[in-house]
Amino acid sequence: MSVSREPCEGYSIVRLEGELNVTSAVDLKNALLEGLAAGKELHLDLERVTEIDITVMQLLWAAGCEAERTGATIVGRVSEAAAAAAREAGFERFPGTAVQD
């Protein structure tokens, strides 16, 4: 499991890798809050996620709601494993987010 945040010019990137579950929740929450607080577009890179649980989904959902509320933008790139897990959990689309191909 890996959660990292990279500030870039004009946007921030939060990269997630491996199995994401309740043990990664604190790191993810902090990275999302920092990314949203930066006031820039936030890019979520989930392309290297192999497994994702409901705790992580709820954090991503909350980040999307916060982005929608504040007018921020979250752009996400997801692995098939992460997309399938989201669909299975009933999360067809997260608020405040757009998915890149």
Side-chain angles (χ1 to χ4, degrees), residues 41-44 46 64 67 72-78 93-101:
E41 186 172 86
L42 178 61
H43 290 231
L44 289 176
L46 290 90
T73 302
I74 297 177
V75 178
R77 294 179 1 194
V78 300
R93 182 186 173 281
F94 288 88
T97 62
V99 176
Q100 282 183 333
D101 292 330

Side-chain angles (χ1 to χ4, degrees), residues 1-4 15-21 23-24 28 45-53 56 79-83 85:
M1 172 283 305
S2 172
V3 176
S4 64
R15 292 189 201 286
L16 309 172
E17 296 182 26
E19 292 182 24
L20 299 172
N21 52 43
T23 61
S24 55
L28 176 57
D45 182 350
L46 290 90
E47 289 186 306
R48 293 184 185 106
V49 170
T50 57
E51 190 175 311
I52 190 168
D53 80 355
V56 173
S79 67
E80 184 51 43

Side-chain angles (χ1 to χ4, degrees), residues 51-67:
E51 190 175 311
I52 190 168
D53 80 355
I54 194 69
T55 305
V56 173
M57 300 266 190
Q58 290 170 330
L59 282 172
L60 295 173
W61 182 272
C65 289
E66 181 64 11

